[in-house]
């Protein structure tokens, strides 16, 4: 999907052979990341340019080699800007997300800033980029900046449950429980079977002293977690902590 979006955003038509090589390389990244890295680097060494750097970024993401992925996407984004290529904003977003995955919040914010400064993002894509920058702001301990971006994002993508979940989580951390409850209800309405949302419902209840409600939400998060996601594991740990708190002192 990402490969298709990157190609579709190009400002000028690309040679069919290069398009096909890029698609093949991107497909290989999901099947054999190490082989895709080798293919992308060989292509770059042979003068593959922007498309080769994009593919290298995808391959490094598939290998969870986040610093290399961030660099490859950044190089591709800079090339795209010089070429006035419409893919630049998407590539900056990808670079930012790779840096965020590597716990480099400041670097991630810089990449998201570059993406959002370009006037090519559609409203939905701008909303997603604002959410990404908000996550980076939270990681950089800049909650006010995160709130500004999340409020703007929710206006652009009001049907995205992730935005409401992020907003609810930020509100809880700022002890604004009225806002937290309002936003998590909207997230649950949009995605009633999302384990991460049920987990956050438990967190909000717990911090307000509603232990039974919290347990019920966390148990629901576990039951909804069919893939071993982080939310289910976090809910198990939260319940274990709750039981420890309830145990009589010896």
């Amino acid at each position: 999907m990402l490969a298709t979006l990157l190609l579709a955003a190009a400002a000028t038509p690309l040679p069919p052979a290069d398009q096909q090589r890029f698609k093949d390389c991107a497909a290989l990244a999901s099947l054999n990341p190490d082989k895709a890295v080798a293919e992308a680097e060989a292509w770059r060494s042979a003068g593959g340019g922007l498309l080769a750097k994009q593919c290298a970024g995808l391959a490094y993401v598939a290998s969870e080699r986040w610093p290399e992925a961030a660099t490859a996407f950044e190089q591709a984004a800079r090339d795209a800007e010089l070429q006035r290529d419409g893919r630049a904003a998407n590539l900056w977003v990808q670079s930012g997300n790779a840096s965020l995955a590597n716990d480099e919040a400041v670097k991630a914010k810089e990449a998201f800033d570059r993406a959002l400064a370009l006037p090519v993002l559609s409203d939905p894509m701008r909303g997603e980029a604002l959410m990404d920058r908000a996550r980076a702001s939270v990681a950089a301990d800049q909650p006010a900046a995160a709130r500004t971006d999340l409020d703007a994002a929710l206006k652009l993508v009001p049907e995205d449950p992730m935005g409401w979940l992020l907003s609810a989580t930020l509100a809880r951390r700022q002890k604004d429980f009225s806002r937290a409850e309002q936003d998590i209800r909207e997230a649950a309405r949009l995605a009633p079977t999302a384990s991460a949302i049920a987990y956050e419902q438990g967190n909000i209840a717990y911090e307000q002293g509603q232990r039974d409600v919290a347990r019920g939400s966390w148990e629901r998060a576990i039951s909804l977690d069919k893939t071993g996601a982080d939310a289910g594991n976090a809910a198990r740990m939260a319940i274990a902590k709750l039981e420890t708190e309830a145990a009589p002192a010896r």
Side-chain angles (χ1 to χ4, degrees):
M1 176 62 74
L2 175 59
T4 302
L5 289 174
L6 290 170
L7 284 171
T12 57
L14 298 168
D18 286 351
Q19 291 189 42
Q20 189 58 52
R21 185 169 185 178
F22 176 69
K23 289 179 180 179
D24 291 344
C25 184
L28 182 62
S30 64
L31 299 173
N32 190 328
D34 291 339
K35 190 173 181 179
V37 167
E39 160 64 16
E41 292 301 343
W43 190 9
R44 282 212 290 188
S45 297
L50 175 57
L51 287 179
K53 292 170 185 176
Q54 288 180 19
C55 188
L58 295 175
Y60 284 128
V61 165
S63 300
E64 297 187 359
R65 293 168 61 178
W66 306 117
E68 294 94 334
T71 297
F73 283 127
E74 178 181 340
Q75 291 172 345
R78 292 185 185 279
D79 285 356
E81 286 185 339
L82 289 172
Q83 298 168 23
R84 299 186 182 279
D85 188 301
R87 289 166 292 181
N90 285 333
L91 290 162
W92 280 119
V93 169
Q94 293 303 312
S95 180
N97 276 305
S99 292
L100 197 52
N102 198 48
D103 296 324
E104 295 181 282
V106 173
K107 185 177 179 181
K109 280 198 70 175
E110 291 172 354
F112 296 135
D113 287 344
R114 294 288 292 263
L116 288 161
L118 297 171
V120 297
L121 292 173
S122 65
D123 282 352
M125 294 178 69
R126 181 168 291 277
E128 298 298 326
L130 285 166
M131 278 191 261
D132 288 335
R133 191 168 68 177
R135 292 192 299 119
S137 292
V138 169
D141 195 24
Q142 297 173 356
R147 171 51 63 200
T148 297
D149 278 347
L150 282 175
D151 287 347
L154 290 172
K155 293 178 181 177
L156 294 172
V157 284
E159 297 302 309
D160 188 330
M162 179 56 68
W164 295 103
L165 171 59
L166 291 172
S167 183
T169 302
L170 178 60
R172 170 178 58 81
R173 290 174 176 174
Q174 295 181 304
K175 306 302 181 183
D176 184 353
F177 295 115
S178 176
R179 175 72 187 267
E181 289 183 340
Q182 171 187 311
D183 289 356
I184 203 64
R185 280 197 298 270
E186 184 63 12
R189 183 187 71 81
L190 293 167
T193 61
S195 60
I197 291 172
Y199 171 65
E200 181 57 28
Q201 286 177 311
N203 293 341
I204 294 168
Y206 175 82
E207 292 202 19
Q208 295 181 88
Q210 301 168 2
R211 300 299 197 262
D212 290 343
V213 175
R215 176 188 284 274
S217 294
W218 288 333
E219 289 175 344
R220 186 164 180 272
I222 294 169
S223 70
L224 290 171
D225 179 17
K226 307 300 183 184
T227 60
D230 291 342
N233 293 331
R236 291 184 182 89
M237 293 176 62
I239 290 174
K241 178 184 176 183
L242 195 64
E243 291 175 346
T244 299
E245 292 173 351
R250 293 185 178 182

